[in-house]
Amino acid sequence: MNLLPNLSPHLFWDIDFSQLDWNKHQLLIVERVIERGTYKEFRLVESHYGKKEMTRIIKNLSYLHIKDIAFVHTYFDIPLNELKCYTRKQLNQNFWN
């Protein structure tokens, strides 16, 4: 069952939307939907991958905005130190803000 047509193509403005594959591009799809998608799109992706697989994918994302980190930390009950994007952010603090 291909659910990709139900995702907004604007989420993938920089790549060929027709070439997206649910299995090969898991990290990209989940990252874009969390950062820029609607709640409906988020639930669609979650229903496709399942909560356990989504948790695994999210733990391996290299970057998420701090508000998105807070959301996935709360929604999926993932400890912050298990989020690659959070630990990377801690290592690369910007002291001149």
Side-chain angles (χ1 to χ4, degrees):
M1 184 163 112
N2 188 2
L3 301 173
L4 278 173
N6 294 326
L7 295 178
S8 301
H10 79 274
L11 295 173
F12 308 98
W13 71 92
D14 56 341
I15 58 173
D16 184 1
F17 185 71
S18 64
Q19 298 299 313
L20 277 177
D21 181 275
W22 279 102
N23 296 320
K24 282 198 255 180
H25 303 110
Q26 291 177 337
L27 292 171
L28 177 66
I29 292 168
V30 171
E31 179 184 349
R32 294 284 174 91
V33 169
I34 288 173
E35 288 191 324
R36 295 180 174 88
T38 64
Y39 185 68
K40 183 178 179 181
E41 290 167 326
F42 171 77
R43 296 291 293 165
L44 179 71
V45 170
E46 183 186 21
S47 69
H48 178 76
Y49 289 120
K51 199 162 189 166
K52 186 177 180 179
E53 183 66 9
M54 278 281 285
T55 301
R56 185 195 65 75
I57 294 167
I58 290 167
K59 285 180 179 182
N60 290 304
L61 292 175
S62 295
Y63 176 81
L64 281 177
H65 188 274
I66 192 69
K67 71 174 178 62
D68 299 319
I69 291 173
F71 170 72
V72 297
H73 163 66
T74 303
Y75 186 86
F76 291 99
D77 195 29
I78 304 171
L80 289 173
N81 64 343
E82 291 183 18
L83 292 169
K84 183 178 180 180
C85 56
Y86 180 78
T87 55
R88 285 186 71 193
K89 188 176 284 295
Q90 295 301 307
L91 293 172
N92 299 312
Q93 292 182 13
N94 187 355
F95 295 105
W96 301 107
N97 253 352

